[in-house]
């Protein structure tokens, strides 16, 4: 359309022709760089003259690399690659269909790999370096739904037996293969769990950044290593997928290559049926500073474009809608001729000498080995920018009527018998009728050219992929005595647990054995957490150093950016910073060099914002510390509803290998972090830590003797009641609310003659895990002596009642209910937060000292130890209005 309009408004075609011819001649005699220069000059000049110029973000709907500039593979190698590709296609399909025969509910996908197969194979044979003694290798993020194709390759490489393939999606009953890439489930194989759409692209960008960070800090030489991220064109709809493109452009991450499999379809139908998704992504990526390589058309099209002197074919493809093109893929050659070429008689003429079968055989660029090779080669050679390859393919390629280019193809787990036959014929598979009927796996003879080629190519690139290697940490973990200052009473000084954490961090940053391995991460909140001292001390990482004089240069803590900076300041992107944390927390595997990440952020913008990444981190066996700063619904009092976190701690409890705590005192933080360091880097355990830290300043006592074990297990007796009275309660508290519990204990004793033991519960989450494990043991061992949970042991001498109060929703402390044999009462901060003073909020949510006192008295009334009137008296004495608003509905 645009071309037509332009033509109709061409008031001087001869002049136009002269301009075009002068470009032609510049190209012929001086090359494309000169033409680019001239055009830039013309545009700049036009700008100066005040003439509006096009944004220039898109190039025509053509392959980016001109045919004569394509780097090519020897044809005999292409033949062997494509032979193997046929076997891989068959085996990948067989894996899914054989599992489906056993039980259709097992599921699986055929169409995604069918469209991406060439993209993977060119990479596996020529580009993806594996880690070995000599090299660290490349990091390849494989799109999850293509897993069957990757298993099929592992079979050809003799890594998996046929029996193993038959265990696809049967991990418990057959010790088989995981549905998608899950390192947790296949620890020597998968590296990156990316099947949740959007995680791969974001994690890949920060992985590439982290590799450069390690190089710039001279910790690991990652030069030459590439991060390859494979994703679907539908997947790019996720905000996470597009969210950090500009960072990759800004930091010139030329170690990063995205391969977007543009089969124009997602799960339900076309990604953008009414437009051209490849063009849209080209604009987005170019705008973000990426090098974009489009491979839309296969080699068969080259001669058609060469013949297209009038530009009619170019015009037709520029008008083409993805929805239309998809229909051509799912129909035959005659349909293609009629609807695509038939639009213009001149275009029909262009293909008059081609049969319908030849038209149908015109391939998309992403199915053309040479085109893909040329794109990858150009990508790995490109410097100064990340590269995205937009490869046009057909979803369900080879699936025929059962799925090729069809809207239903994503979930098609089975091909009709006729389509299986057609598949065998199309890819010329050497299978007998019986083998086809049984869907037997096929592996060429070990002496065949194809298999020898496939194995030799992997050997040349360093070995098999994917592969997950790890290194054991080999540095001394600091002992608790290093944190002595935090174990002591704070005297006159009041500080918050956030400050306690920052002190722990500073101590670690001075520890000779590990200081370089520490990776502090923030998402534009250093000042919120009092960490700005680190700017000067360790520097903020910036690959280009600091090209300007910061406005605060005269200050002690000025904003110092440095190529060797240690602090990762990821700007306002919690999910991005989380991805950086994951890269660091798994560097013991990806770079065989252990780093120790500490990422602190606003706790409310934590799990509930980037929870899927936390889940992936668990799967990847990430090791490191996450700190939910400004936690506690009433503790960050002024910020109001959106900021006040009363539940993220509970959310972390659902991640099986996350160890989480809600500490109150500096010594608790020191004990927890020291123990975490020991578990993760001393004992190489696959766990990671989440700690809440708060911004309320208060006095910190010295660590009670022997408290370490209880701190780690989740509960210890902080203060035993000295009262001789028979009226006793057990008070449990965590985080800042423990201070309210301590206050309540004093009031109970002084004003009501009730003795109260005070327990610091550093983690209801850990206590719950212990209860679960003990309960399971007792259930499965009916004749063995029953085990007792830590909670039971702590409270065994008490007759209760037990009252718990925290700054989190009641469910958090309620987790231990089954192990509390005494009457158990829980106070917490259910309901939306709001701004007010801390005292007012704790009153509102009923977690202040008076509400704890009253609840203890009511508990004694319920137990029969006190008369009902005592409860009324207490209400009056404490000034509690019983008609107060209910925070859960107010
Ligand atoms: C976050 C998330 N949402 C939804 C899904 C379900 N899902 C799986 S594959 C898919 C479509 C993928 O399409 P595309 O990215 O284009 O990949 P293709 O298979 O076409 O190559 C969807 C929606 C998912 N895996 N993750």
């Amino acid at each position: 359309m645009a071309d037509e309009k332009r033509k109709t408004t061409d008031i001087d075609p001869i002049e136009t022709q002269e301009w075009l011819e002068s470009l032609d001649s510049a190209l012929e005699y001086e090359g494309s760089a000169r033409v680019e220069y001239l055009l830039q000059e013309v545009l700049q000049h036009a700008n100066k003259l005040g003439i509006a110029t096009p944004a220039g973000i898109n190039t025509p709907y053509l392959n980016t690399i001109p045919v004569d500039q394509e780097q090519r593979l020897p044809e005999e190698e292409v033949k062997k690659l494509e032979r193997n590709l046929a076997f891989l296609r068959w085996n990948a399909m067989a894996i899914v269909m054989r599992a489906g025969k056993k039980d259709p509910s097992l599921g699986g996908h055929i169409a995604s790999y069918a469209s991406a197969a060439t993209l993977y194979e060119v990479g596996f044979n020529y580009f993806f370096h594996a880690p070995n003694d000599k090299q660290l290798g490349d990091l390849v993020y494989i799109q999850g739904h293509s897993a069957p194709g990757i298993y099929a390759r592992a079979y050809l490489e003799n890594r998996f037996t046929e029996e193993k393939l038959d265990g696809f999606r049967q991990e418990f009953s057959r010790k088989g293969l995981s549905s998608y890439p899950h390192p947790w489930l296949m620890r020597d194989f998968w590296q990156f769990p990316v099947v949740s759409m959007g995680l791969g692209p974001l994690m890949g960008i920060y992985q590439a950044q982290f590799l450069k960070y390690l190089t710039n800090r001279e910790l690991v030489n990652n030069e030459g290593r590439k991060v390859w991220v494979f994703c679907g064109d539908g997947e790019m709809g996720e905000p996470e997928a597009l969210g950090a493109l500009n960072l990759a452009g800004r930091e010139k991450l030329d170690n990063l290559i995205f391969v977007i499999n543009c089969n124009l379809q997602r799960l339900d139908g076309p990604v953008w049926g009414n437009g051209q998704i490849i063009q849209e992504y080209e604009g987005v990526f170019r705008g973000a500073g990426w090098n974009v390589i489009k491979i839309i058309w296969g080699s068969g099209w080259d001669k058609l474009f060469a013949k297209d002197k009038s530009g009619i074919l170019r015009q037709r493809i520029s008008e083409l809608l993805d929805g239309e093109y998809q229909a051509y893929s799912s129909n035959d050659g005659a349909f293609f001729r009629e609807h695509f070429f038939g639009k213009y008689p001149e275009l029909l003429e262009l293909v008059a000498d081609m049969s319908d079968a030849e038209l149908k055989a015109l391939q998309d660029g992403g199915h053309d080995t040479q085109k893909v090779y040329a794109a990858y080669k150009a990508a790995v050679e490109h410097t100064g920018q990340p590269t995205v390859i937009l490869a046009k393919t057909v979803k369900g390629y080879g699936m025929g009527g059962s799925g090729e280019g069809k809207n239903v193809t994503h979930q098609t787990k089975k091909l009709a018998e006729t389509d299986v036959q057609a598949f065998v014929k199309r890819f010329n598979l050497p299978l007998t009728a019986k083998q086809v009927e049984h869907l037997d796996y096929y592996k060429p003879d070990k002496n065949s050219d194809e298999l020898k080629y496939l194995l030799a190519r992997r050997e040349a690139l360093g070995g098999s992929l994917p592969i997950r290697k790890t290194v054991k940490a080999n540095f001394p973990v600091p002992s608790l005595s290093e944190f002595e200052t935090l174990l002591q009473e704070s005297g006159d000084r009041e500080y918050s647990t956030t400050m306690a954490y920052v002190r722990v961090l500073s101590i670690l940053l001075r520890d000779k054995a590990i200081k370089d391995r520490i990776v502090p991460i923030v998402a534009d909140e250093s000042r919120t957490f009092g960490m700005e001292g680190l700017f000067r001390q360790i520097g903020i990482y910036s690959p280009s150093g600091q090209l300007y004089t910061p406005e605060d240069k005269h200050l002690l803590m000025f904003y110092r950016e440095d190529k060797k900076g240690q602090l990762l300041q990821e700007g306002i992107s919690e999910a991005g910073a989380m991805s950086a944390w994951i890269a660091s927390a798994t560097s013991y595997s990806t770079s065989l060099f252990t780093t120790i990440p500490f990422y602190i952020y606003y706790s409310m913008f934590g799990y509930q914002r980037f929870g899927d990444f936390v889940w992936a981190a668990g799967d990847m066996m990430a090791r490191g510390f996450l700190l939910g700063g400004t936690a506690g619904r009433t503790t960050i009092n002024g910020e109001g509803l959106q900021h006040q976190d009363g539940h993220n701690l509970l959310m972390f409890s659902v991640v099986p290998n996350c160890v989480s705590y809600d500490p109150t005192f500096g010594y608790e933080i020191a004990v927890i972090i020291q123990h975490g360091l020991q578990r993760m880097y001393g004992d190489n355990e696959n766990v990671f830590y989440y700690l809440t830290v708060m911004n309320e300043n208060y006095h910190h006592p010295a660590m009670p003797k022997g408290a370490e074990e209880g701190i780690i297990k989740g509960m210890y007796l902080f203060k035993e009641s000295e009262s001789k009275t028979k009226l006793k309660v057990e008070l449990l508290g965590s985080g800042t609310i423990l201070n309210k519990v301590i206050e309540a204990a004093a009031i109970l004793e002084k004003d009501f003659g009730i003795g109260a033991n005070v327990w610091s519960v550093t983690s209801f989450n850990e206590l719950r895990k212990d209860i679960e494990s003990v309960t399971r043991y007792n259930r499965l061992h009916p004749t063995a002596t029953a085990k007792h949970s830590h909670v039971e042991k702590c409270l065994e001498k008490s007759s209760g009642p037990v009252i718990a109060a925290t700054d989190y929703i009641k469910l958090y402390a309620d987790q231990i209910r089954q192990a509390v044999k005494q009457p158990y009462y829980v106070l917490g901060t259910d309901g939306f937060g709001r701004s007010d003073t801390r005292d007012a909020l704790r009153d509102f949510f009923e977690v202040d000292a008076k509400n704890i006192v009253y609840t203890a008295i009511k508990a004694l009334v319920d137990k029969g130890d006190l008369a009902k009137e005592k409860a009324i008296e207490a209400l009056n004495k404490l000034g509690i209005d019983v008609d107060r608003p209910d925070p859960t509905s107010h």
Side-chain angles (χ1 to χ4, degrees):
M1 284 295 262
D3 279 11
E4 264 170 350
K5 196 169 163 211
R6 186 159 50 78
K7 275 185 187 151
T8 55
T9 54
D10 191 349
I11 49 166
D12 189 349
I14 296 175
E15 187 189 34
T16 311
Q17 196 54 32
E18 279 168 7
W19 277 69
L20 296 179
E21 278 168 11
S22 52
L23 276 191
D24 288 347
S25 123
L27 181 66
E28 194 175 339
Y29 297 106
E30 292 162 311
S32 56
R34 172 73 184 150
V35 176
E36 257 176 54
Y37 176 80
L38 286 173
L39 287 173
Q40 269 167 21
E41 285 297 296
V42 170
L43 287 175
Q44 263 184 30
H45 191 65
N47 269 337
K48 263 191 237 152
L49 300 177
I51 296 163
T53 51
I57 212 83
N58 275 113
T59 64
Y61 198 54
L62 291 169
N63 292 346
T64 305
I65 306 174
V67 180
D68 59 0
Q69 285 173 36
E70 284 171 358
Q71 303 190 63
R72 295 178 70 83
L73 281 171
E75 278 307 322
E76 62 279 14
E77 293 194 23
V78 172
K79 267 198 206 116
K80 283 184 257 188
L81 184 152
E82 289 179 356
R83 260 337 261 147
N84 286 327
L85 196 55
F87 309 146
L88 290 166
R89 288 181 183 285
W90 169 259
N91 290 334
M93 179 177 72
I95 289 171
V96 177
M97 284 181 67
R98 286 169 71 100
K101 271 192 185 172
K102 177 146 193 250
D103 180 350
S105 71
L106 289 171
H109 299 85
I110 300 171
S112 299
Y113 179 71
S115 69
T118 306
L119 302 176
Y120 285 112
E121 269 316 284
V122 173
F124 276 119
N125 285 296
Y126 295 97
F127 294 94
F128 306 159
H129 297 87
N132 61 21
D133 298 346
K134 298 186 196 72
Q135 62 191 29
L136 284 164
D138 298 326
L139 300 174
V140 187
Y141 289 68
I142 289 162
Q143 203 265 357
H145 297 78
S146 290
I150 309 305
Y151 293 145
R153 176 163 245 281
Y155 165 65
L156 288 197
E157 286 184 40
N158 304 314
R159 299 175 77 190
F160 292 156
T161 59
E162 295 190 359
E163 201 191 334
K164 191 82 177 164
L165 299 188
D166 273 344
F168 178 58
R169 294 188 170 218
Q170 297 146 76
E171 298 168 74
F172 176 59
S173 59
R174 301 187 62 155
K175 294 190 171 56
L177 301 166
S178 65
S179 49
Y180 300 116
H182 294 302
W184 183 263
L185 301 170
M186 292 175 67
R187 297 194 180 189
D188 302 328
F189 194 83
W190 293 119
Q191 293 178 286
F192 308 112
V194 295
V195 73
S196 173
M197 308 267 108
L199 300 194
L202 196 73
M203 289 200 292
I205 289 173
Y206 286 87
Q207 181 70 259
Q209 182 197 51
F210 194 70
L211 292 187
K212 292 217 177 218
Y213 167 90
L214 289 177
T215 305
N216 284 329
R217 288 193 56 214
E218 296 174 11
L219 296 173
V220 180
N221 182 0
N222 282 320
E223 259 159 50
R225 297 182 75 191
K226 300 280 180 198
V227 176
W228 293 81
V229 178
F230 284 79
C231 42
D233 48 356
E235 176 170 13
M236 294 310 290
E238 292 285 0
E240 290 87 349
L242 294 172
L245 299 187
N246 52 339
L247 173 115
R250 187 194 306 147
E251 297 205 357
K252 304 183 172 42
L253 299 179
D254 52 10
N255 55 344
L256 177 64
I257 299 166
F258 269 30
V259 180
I260 304 185
N261 177 19
C262 297
N263 54 33
L264 313 185
Q265 288 178 247
R266 42 180 165 70
L267 193 150
D268 283 342
V271 180
W272 189 26
N274 292 318
Q276 293 181 326
I277 197 66
I278 291 180
Q279 295 300 89
E280 179 179 305
Y281 290 149
E282 176 185 42
V284 171
F285 277 87
R286 276 167 66 106
W290 288 55
N291 171 41
V292 178
I293 302 178
K294 296 190 286 192
I295 24 176
I296 306 173
W297 313 103
S299 306
W301 289 88
D302 290 343
K303 64 174 191 310
L304 291 182
F305 285 119
K307 260 167 74 178
D308 178 34
K309 298 292 177 220
S310 69
I312 189 72
L313 179 57
R314 283 170 174 79
Q315 182 185 330
R316 179 70 182 100
I317 59 172
S318 74
E319 303 158 353
L320 191 60
L321 301 177
D322 285 357
E324 287 177 284
Y325 199 74
Q326 187 192 332
Y328 306 145
S329 303
S330 60
N331 278 288
D332 60 14
F335 184 93
F336 192 21
R337 184 188 303 276
E338 181 188 345
H339 294 273
F340 177 76
F341 295 99
K343 184 160 181 194
Y344 301 111
E346 191 189 339
L347 196 54
L348 260 186
E349 195 50 42
L350 196 77
V351 293
D353 59 345
M354 290 174 77
S355 68
D356 288 348
E358 283 170 327
L359 290 187
K360 181 70 193 166
L362 285 172
Q363 274 184 335
D364 286 332
H367 293 300
D368 186 313
T369 306
Q370 293 285 21
K371 298 279 183 203
V372 175
Y373 178 82
Y376 286 9
K377 193 88 172 92
V380 295
E381 287 172 1
H382 189 80
T383 55
Q385 280 178 305
T387 292
V388 60
I389 290 161
L390 297 167
K392 164 93 187 65
T393 64
V394 177
K395 188 148 179 169
Y397 186 78
M399 289 170 74
S402 294
E404 190 153 341
K406 295 201 176 299
N407 279 336
V408 294
T409 194
H410 187 82
Q411 281 158 320
T412 303
K413 298 163 192 9
K414 194 174 147 199
L415 265 63
E417 214 181 302
T418 47
D419 289 323
V420 173
Q421 301 291 353
F423 189 103
V424 171
K425 205 164 154 216
R426 176 164 175 178
F427 296 112
N428 194 18
L429 290 158
L431 298 168
T432 64
K434 269 233 144 20
Q435 286 172 318
V436 174
E437 190 194 330
H438 295 154
L439 294 164
D440 282 351
Y441 299 119
Y442 179 78
K443 189 190 287 192
D445 187 84
K446 66 179 190 309
N447 294 318
S448 65
D449 281 354
E450 296 95 329
L451 206 61
K452 283 202 305 210
Y453 157 84
L454 180 135
L455 297 174
R457 288 311 312 156
R458 280 316 316 161
E459 208 182 310
L461 290 163
S464 286
L465 267 185
I467 193 162
R468 182 175 176 275
K469 298 199 168 201
T470 56
V471 72
K472 279 195 171 23
N474 61 350
F475 44 82
V477 167
S479 66
L480 194 57
S481 58
E482 277 202 41
F483 306 98
E484 187 56 30
T485 52
L486 286 139
L487 308 181
Q488 303 300 337
E489 206 215 330
S490 66
D492 293 343
R493 278 183 324 122
E494 296 199 327
Y495 61 85
S496 66
T497 44
T498 305
M499 285 158 81
Y501 154 69
V502 175
R503 268 212 237 157
V504 167
L505 190 63
S506 330
I507 292 168
L508 296 175
L509 286 166
R510 285 197 301 267
D511 180 303
K512 281 207 173 61
I514 60 169
K515 67 181 173 54
D516 289 338
R517 296 175 186 268
I518 304 290
V519 180
I521 304 171
V522 289
D524 204 32
E525 294 286 355
S526 305
R527 295 183 202 276
T528 311
F529 304 123
M531 291 168 64
E532 60 271 42
L534 294 183
F535 295 169
R536 170 76 182 272
Q537 188 192 332
I538 57 173
I540 298 161
Y541 172 70
S542 159
S544 42
Q546 190 155 38
L547 306 174
Y548 62 98
T549 306
E551 68 76 24
D552 53 0
K553 178 83 190 187
H554 57 287
L555 298 179
L556 188 65
M557 298 175 187
F558 74 92
Y559 199 83
R560 183 171 77 83
E561 300 194 56
D562 192 332
K563 195 169 173 176
K564 287 190 180 174
Q566 190 165 357
L567 176 70
L568 279 176
Q569 158 63 274
E570 298 295 5
I572 309 173
S573 172
E574 279 79 9
M578 181 64 201
S579 300
W581 182 87
I582 290 175
S584 171
T586 53
S587 70
Y588 72 94
S589 169
T590 48
S591 287
L592 301 180
F593 179 82
T594 305
T595 55
I596 307 173
F598 286 85
Y599 168 30
I600 184 166
Y601 54 85
Y602 246 114
S603 78
M604 190 64 157
F605 309 137
Y607 197 101
Q608 71 181 40
R609 182 138 196 156
F610 55 65
D612 215 5
F613 287 93
V614 180
W615 192 252
D619 191 347
M620 290 164 87
M621 290 160 279
R623 298 174 189 165
F625 294 91
L626 293 169
L627 297 113
T630 54
R633 183 150 284 154
T634 66
T635 307
I636 176 183
N637 54 307
E639 293 295 307
L641 185 152
Q642 192 82 59
H643 286 63
Q644 292 169 336
D645 172 25
H647 52 274
N648 278 272
L649 183 54
L650 200 53
M651 288 157 115
F652 273 95
S653 77
V654 303
V655 185
N657 52 354
C658 176
V659 187
S660 45
Y661 289 97
D662 183 37
T664 310
F665 299 124
Y667 64 81
E668 293 179 350
I669 299 219
V671 168
I672 292 164
I673 292 185
Q674 193 278 335
H675 193 250
L677 290 168
Q678 180 58 41
R679 283 183 74 181
M680 294 185 283
Y681 311 107
D683 308 335
N684 294 288
E685 265 191 69
N686 289 318
V687 291
F688 67 97
Y689 276 62
Y690 174 69
L691 272 72
T692 61
V693 287
M694 276 69 72
N695 66 348
E696 183 176 354
N697 294 325
Y698 46 80
H699 171 261
H700 292 245
M703 181 165 76
K705 260 211 160 58
E708 292 99 311
E709 192 188 339
I711 293 174
I712 288 155
K713 286 190 168 164
M715 171 175 181
Y716 67 96
L717 185 58
F718 173 74
K719 190 163 181 290
E720 191 167 6
S721 164
E722 286 163 10
S723 165
K724 299 275 177 297
T725 171
K726 282 212 174 85
L727 286 176
K728 277 258 164 74
V729 292
E730 309 293 329
L731 298 186
L732 278 51
S734 80
T736 48
I737 298 302
L738 176 61
N739 286 319
K740 300 295 130 192
V741 167
I742 296 167
E743 264 178 52
I747 298 171
L748 279 167
E749 206 138 328
K750 192 162 127 292
D751 297 352
F752 295 92
I754 297 168
N757 291 328
V758 175
W759 299 83
S760 171
V761 181
T762 49
S763 178
F764 283 98
N765 289 348
E766 285 303 289
L767 294 177
R768 171 75 193 182
K769 283 189 204 164
D770 174 53
I771 293 166
E772 287 292 348
S773 136
V774 163
T775 310
R776 177 177 180 274
Y777 177 88
N778 292 342
R779 176 167 53 80
L780 294 175
H781 301 86
T783 57
T785 315
K787 288 190 178 185
H788 295 283
S789 64
H790 182 63
V791 172
E792 280 176 280
K793 284 185 208 158
C794 286
L795 298 175
E796 71 188 344
K797 292 204 195 89
S798 164
S799 57
V802 179
I803 296 99
T806 78
D807 215 1
Y808 296 89
I809 58 172
K810 296 184 189 74
L811 202 55
Y812 174 57
D814 223 293
Q815 293 182 89
I816 63 167
R817 183 171 292 282
Q818 80 184 79
V820 183
K821 305 301 175 200
Q822 303 81 352
Y824 186 43
Y825 295 75
V826 170
L827 299 175
T829 54
D830 301 57
F832 282 121
R834 62 205 59 213
S835 315
D836 213 316
T837 62
R838 285 195 184 112
D839 284 347
L841 289 179
R842 287 167 184 173
D843 178 7
F844 174 71
F845 282 106
E846 300 163 14
V847 292
D848 59 359
K850 69 173 180 301
N851 276 286
I852 299 168
V853 168
Y854 170 69
T855 307
I857 291 168
K858 173 70 167 62
L860 287 168
V861 169
D862 292 346
K863 193 165 166 260
D865 287 359
L866 284 177
K868 266 196 183 129
E869 293 70 39
K870 292 287 175 195
I872 305 290
E873 267 174 40
L875 282 172
N876 291 334
K877 195 165 171 181
L878 295 163
I880 297 175
D881 172 10
V882 292
D883 295 320
R884 66 208 330 275
D886 177 351
T888 58
S889 56
H890 190 67

